């Protein structure tokens, strides 16, 4: 979905509406209730209305959890407004709970006084027991601190679609569209894009398309005519967004497209070798149709095979890329060590999730930083980069490829479950203006051996097998610095180890100096983050600065090697606070490298930081 922003869009508002700056809405129900689909449709309509936005899809870990149980609840949250939106929102203003389980899992996040819309048609005794309720929460007074709007959405949906001759099961599946229509009315959203999408999705069964559209229109009409507390109309002005062509993009999509653009920038075909795993699989799904852009996708039999196939592709003169999440990355590590030893370009994407082991597959975390920087046998250094948002994945993917090819090294690219699934507006770039750094292959046989090096980067020569006069062999055994032959010499191993380390260290000469995202370049406190904590840290620092406190925000993209000026920059602050969705991994690295008294703010709940959590920690450390 694309939109053209011109800051001149106007809407007709036939009814009186309260004008608000922003709103947070969460849809929650069974994984079969279509909450992700509902959220994505509302996201599209909101983008077309010109609001800035950020989303947070929250999936259940169980693929086919029993209907009505708490561990089968799926939710989708969107924060949208007339100003810059940095996060998916701390607490929903409106929660739509399609059944008791969805209510039980999500109600604690609803802000005090927030609107709670519930489908009373799914609050029967059997439904309540499945969710673990002894009493009906709609009747026992436990929801008094919220504005409860009880609607029999199930029955209303059945009535709105009965003329289409659907089965009961098919008719009930339309209730997400009824709910969407109601929320469309509440926030003055246009239904046309959703109606068009439904007609396209159900082109082979037009009666399903018409039934879903009828349900959506019925929900909209209910909102327009119902006179009940909590059903109220709002208007959110379009945000001031720079003119251009925009589309909503998830982190997985942006990363996949960035890999394609990065491969073209170095003038290489790309082989993406992967094995399905949550939440990394979406990258493979996005890349699979892009054969016309020089992309080959390979779903391997396991993670080890995927990594080895990507290494083989790089050996043959393509760009090898492999992707997984933490457990799969652990399996790939021996092969990644091989890529370090043979010094071939390789991009390793880690869409981090909660661990250890299988952990919580659909929940987000940042706990693989140490794995990326240190997690191999021997002294085996690699470059590590981290994307900070969905749209940032595009640029970071291009940079990861540039470094991998220029320095003949594996590069880790860290995202996480939140970034991979979250969506935000993205200004579509002019790809013709992206920087190009074509890969250089060795063709001259004079003085060649496979580990002859570039004096500036220390990268070894890249010779495509079959190039006349450049026959060579590489492998996991240590090689001679002088000849490239197998060597067990002690002094040679010392030199090769130091050279591999030095090559990665020289990347620091080739990356931008660390900047301050906001605030002073020295002072009382720096809040240092990496990855997906960017949004909540940015807004928390902004809020604290507005109250007169001397606080800065520093966000690190280059995790290893770190920017050359970062240590000096951090030593300019009295306090350094590092919020991370782990037990303190970047904090440990900063303390080790720079001996700064960094303190951690750690969250490992599987959920992203809330702005209020970081703001409270900043004030506490300031003694305010």
């Amino acid at each position: 979905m694309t939109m053209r922003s011109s800051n001149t869009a106007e809407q007709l508002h036939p009814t009186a509406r309260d004008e608000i700056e922003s709103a947070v809405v969460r849809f929650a129900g069974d994984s079969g209730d279509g909450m992700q689909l509902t959220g994505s449709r509302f996201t599209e309509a909101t983008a077309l209305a010109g609001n800035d936005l950020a989303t947070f899809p929250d999936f259940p870990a169980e693929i086919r959890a029993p209907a009505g149980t708490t561990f089968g609840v799926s939710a989708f949250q969107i924060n949208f407004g007339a100003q810059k939106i940095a996060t998916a929102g701390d607490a929903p203003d409106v929660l739509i709970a399609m059944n008791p389980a969805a209510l039980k899992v999500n109600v604690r996040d609803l802000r005090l006084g927030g609107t709670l819309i519930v489908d009373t048609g799914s609050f029967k005794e059997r439904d309540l027991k499945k969710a673990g309720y002894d009493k009906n929460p709609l009747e026992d007074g436990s929801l008094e601190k919220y504005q409860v709007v009880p609607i029999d959405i199930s029955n209303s949906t059945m009535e709105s679609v009965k003329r289409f001759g659907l089965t009961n099961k098919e008719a009930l599946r339309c209730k997400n569209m009824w709910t969407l229509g109601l929320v469309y009315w509440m926030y003055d959203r246009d239904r046309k894009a959703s109606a068009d999408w439904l007609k396209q999705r159900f082109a082979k069964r037009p009666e399903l398309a018409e039934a879903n559209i009828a349900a959506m229109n019925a929900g909209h009409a209910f909102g327009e005519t119902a006179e009940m507390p909590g059903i109220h109309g709002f208007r959110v002005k379009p945000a001031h967004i720079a003119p251009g062509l925009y589309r909503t993009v998830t982190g997985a999509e942006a990363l996949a497209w960035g890999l394609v653009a990065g491969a073209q920038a170095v003038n290489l075909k790309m082989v993406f070798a992967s094995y399905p795993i949550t939440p990394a699989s979406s990258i493979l799904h996005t890349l699979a149709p892009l054969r016309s852009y020089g992309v080959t996708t390979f779903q391997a039999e396991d993670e080890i095979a995927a990594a080895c196939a990507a290494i083989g592709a790089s050996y043959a003169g393509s760009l090898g890329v492999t992707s997984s999440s933490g457990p799969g990355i652990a399996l790939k590590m021996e092969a990644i060590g091989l890529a370090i030893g043979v010094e071939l370009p390789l991009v390793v994407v880690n869409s981090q999730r909660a661990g250890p082991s299988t952990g919580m597959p659909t929940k987000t975390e940042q706990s693989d930083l140490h794995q990326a920087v240190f997690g191999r046998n021997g002294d085996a250094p690699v470059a590590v980069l981290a994307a900070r948002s969905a749209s940032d994945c595009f640029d970071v993917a291009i940079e990861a490829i540039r470094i991998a090819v220029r320095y003949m090294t594996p590069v880790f690219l860290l995202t996480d479950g939140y970034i991979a699934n979250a969506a935000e507006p993205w200004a579509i770039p002019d790809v013709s203006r992206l920087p190009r750094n074509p890969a250089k292959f060795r063709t001259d046989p004079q003085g060649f051996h496979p580990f002859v090096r570039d004096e500036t980067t220390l990268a070894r020569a890249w010779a495509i097998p079959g190039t006349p006069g450049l026959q060579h062999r590489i492998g996991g055994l240590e090689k001679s610095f002088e000849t490239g032959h197998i060597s067990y010499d002690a002094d040679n191993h010392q030199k090769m180890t130091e050279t591999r380390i030095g090559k990665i260290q020289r990347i620091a000469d080739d990356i931008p100096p660390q900047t301050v995202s906001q605030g002073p370049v020295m002072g009382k406190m720096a809040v240092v983050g990496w990855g997906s904590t960017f949004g909540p840290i940015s807004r928390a620092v902004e809020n604290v600065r507005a109250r007169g406190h001397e606080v800065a925000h520093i966000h690190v993209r280059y995790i290893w090697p770190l920017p050359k000026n970062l240590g000096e920059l951090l030593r300019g602050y009295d306090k350094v606070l590092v919020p991370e969705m782990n037990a303190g991994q970047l904090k440990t690295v900063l303390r080790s490298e720079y001996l700064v008294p960094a303190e951690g703010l750690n969250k490992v709940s599987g959920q992203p930081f809330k702005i209020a959590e970081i703001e409270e920690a900043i004030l506490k450390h300031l003694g305010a």
Side-chain angles (χ1 to χ4, degrees):
M1 185 279 295
T2 57
M3 66 177 183
R4 179 73 66 177
S5 173
S6 62
N7 292 332
T8 59
E10 294 184 357
Q11 293 178 281
L12 298 176
H13 303 280
T15 58
R17 294 178 174 273
D18 290 343
E19 192 165 290
I20 56 177
E21 282 295 306
S22 64
V24 180
V25 176
R26 182 183 296 180
F27 302 91
D30 261 331
S31 56
D33 283 338
M35 294 296 94
Q36 304 303 323
L37 185 150
T38 305
S40 64
R41 293 299 97 209
F42 189 78
T43 298
E44 179 184 59
T46 298
L48 290 170
N51 297 135
D52 197 12
L53 62 93
T55 71
F56 177 43
D58 195 6
F59 302 96
E62 302 291 334
I63 295 175
R64 295 194 180 277
T69 59
T70 55
F71 47 90
V73 172
S74 177
F76 187 103
Q77 181 164 306
I78 177 172
N79 182 12
F80 57 98
Q83 78 275 14
K84 177 66 178 175
I85 298 297
T87 75
D90 276 14
D93 300 299
V94 176
L95 170 63
I96 298 95
M98 304 298 283
N99 62 16
L103 174 66
K104 190 168 190 176
V105 171
N106 291 280
V107 71
R108 63 179 178 268
D109 295 330
L110 184 63
R111 70 169 175 81
L112 294 180
T115 300
L116 174 60
I117 300 172
V118 294
D119 177 14
T120 58
S122 63
F123 273 69
K124 299 180 175 62
E125 185 176 352
R126 183 168 177 267
D127 302 313
L128 293 168
K129 286 183 177 179
K130 277 188 176 183
Y133 280 115
D134 296 325
K135 298 179 181 179
N136 190 336
L138 302 180
E139 300 171 353
D140 66 2
S142 62
L143 302 176
E144 289 181 349
K145 55 188 176 182
Y146 309 113
Q147 190 167 204
V148 181
V149 183
I151 307 171
D152 193 341
I153 296 174
S154 296
N155 184 64
S156 297
T157 302
M158 297 286 284
E159 287 294 316
S160 67
V161 304
K162 63 182 180 181
R163 68 181 185 273
F164 296 99
L166 306 182
T167 65
N168 282 349
K169 185 176 182 180
E170 289 173 335
L172 274 176
R173 282 182 173 173
C174 298
K175 68 179 183 178
N176 64 328
M177 288 295 109
W178 194 99
T179 305
L180 181 63
L182 172 61
V183 181
Y184 273 174
W185 179 83
M186 291 176 64
Y187 292 100
D188 199 21
R189 295 288 175 253
D190 194 335
R191 288 162 282 164
K192 184 178 184 305
S194 291
D196 292 342
W197 180 85
L198 287 165
K199 290 176 182 178
Q200 183 179 15
R201 180 183 176 103
F202 297 111
K204 294 183 179 180
R205 292 199 61 187
E207 76 278 10
L208 287 181
E210 293 304 322
N212 277 282
I213 293 170
M216 180 174 63
N217 291 337
H220 192 276
F222 181 92
E224 193 169 12
T225 57
E227 295 183 3
M228 56 192 302
I231 302 299
H232 188 78
F234 301 96
R235 184 189 180 218
V236 183
K237 286 184 177 180
H240 295 286
I241 301 173
L245 186 64
Y246 288 76
R247 62 158 293 145
T248 53
V249 65
T250 66
E253 290 170 335
L255 196 150
W257 299 332
L259 290 173
V260 175
Q264 293 193 348
V266 295
N267 199 29
L268 294 175
K269 293 181 178 180
M270 180 173 71
V271 175
F272 184 88
S274 185
Y275 180 78
I277 184 171
T278 301
S281 300
S282 297
I283 303 172
L284 176 61
H285 299 161
T286 304
L287 287 171
L290 303 182
R291 298 182 186 88
S292 60
Y293 292 93
V295 178
T296 298
T297 51
F298 171 52
Q299 181 175 316
E301 62 187 28
D302 56 39
E303 298 285 9
I304 299 170
C308 291
I311 294 169
S314 289
Y315 178 61
S318 295
L319 174 69
V321 183
T322 190
S323 169
S324 191
S325 299
I329 297 296
L331 290 170
K332 295 177 188 286
M333 279 304 186
E334 183 181 0
I336 293 169
L338 172 64
I340 294 168
V342 300
E343 300 187 50
L344 283 168
L346 177 71
V347 175
V348 183
V349 180
N350 184 351
S351 301
Q352 300 165 96
R353 70 188 204 187
S357 187
T358 309
M360 298 192 293
T362 61
K363 307 304 178 184
T364 194
E365 210 164 88
Q366 290 181 298
S367 54
D368 296 344
L369 184 148
H370 281 175
Q371 182 190 47
V373 176
F374 305 118
R376 290 159 299 281
N377 64 296
D379 284 300
V382 296
V384 183
L385 282 70
R388 71 185 191 183
S389 67
S391 58
D392 189 49
C393 286
F394 182 83
D395 297 322
V396 176
I398 294 173
E399 177 69 347
I401 290 174
R402 182 191 73 86
I403 291 173
V405 172
R406 177 168 168 77
Y407 289 87
M408 294 291 285
T409 181
V411 176
F412 273 83
L413 198 171
L414 300 179
T415 70
D416 58 44
Y418 177 35
I419 292 177
N421 296 318
E424 63 183 14
W426 177 54
I428 300 174
D430 181 354
V431 293
S432 67
R433 295 190 174 186
L434 295 175
R436 302 189 65 83
N437 302 280
K440 298 177 182 178
F441 295 105
R442 177 76 179 232
T443 57
D444 182 8
Q446 185 67 35
F448 170 76
H449 68 80
F451 288 91
V452 63
R453 298 183 180 277
D454 181 277
E455 293 182 359
T456 301
T457 64
L458 297 181
R460 78 167 183 88
W462 193 2
I464 298 178
T467 304
L470 301 186
Q471 294 87 346
H472 65 282
R473 63 180 180 180
I474 57 175
L477 293 174
E478 185 61 283
K479 301 299 189 295
S480 166
F481 185 92
E482 301 296 338
T483 67
H485 299 318
I486 293 172
S487 173
Y488 299 108
D489 181 76
D491 292 339
N492 177 77
H493 180 57
Q494 178 87 23
K495 187 171 186 178
M496 286 293 278
T497 300
E498 291 174 349
T499 300
R500 288 188 288 263
I501 293 172
K503 180 176 69 170
I504 299 303
Q505 290 175 341
R506 291 195 182 192
I507 296 172
D509 297 327
D510 197 20
I511 62 176
Q514 182 63 53
T515 59
V516 178
S517 297
Q518 61 171 306
V521 294
M522 60 177 62
K524 291 184 178 180
M525 175 182 281
V527 183
V528 182
W530 67 280
S532 65
T533 58
F534 179 85
I537 293 176
S538 177
R539 187 53 52 84
V541 169
E542 184 179 313
N543 293 345
V544 172
R545 282 171 48 77
R547 295 167 63 175
H549 295 287
E550 192 178 272
V551 181
H553 174 200
I554 297 172
H555 216 75
V556 182
R557 168 182 282 184
Y558 298 90
I559 304 298
W560 200 262
L562 292 161
K564 295 182 73 172
N565 68 322
L566 180 58
E568 180 182 357
L569 186 61
L570 294 180
R571 283 188 280 268
Y573 298 93
D574 298 335
K575 294 177 179 288
V576 175
L577 179 65
V578 188
E580 300 180 80
M581 292 187 293
N582 59 45
Q585 296 187 19
L586 180 63
K587 176 200 72 175
T588 302
V589 171
L590 296 180
R591 283 181 168 184
S592 171
E593 290 296 304
Y594 305 125
L595 302 180
V596 293
E599 299 184 50
L601 172 62
N602 308 115
K603 183 173 183 178
V604 284
S605 64
Q607 299 292 321
F609 273 109
K610 294 180 178 180
I611 298 168
E613 292 171 334
I614 299 176
E615 193 172 336
E616 180 182 357
I618 294 172
L619 294 174
K620 179 181 177 181
H621 282 78
L622 287 173

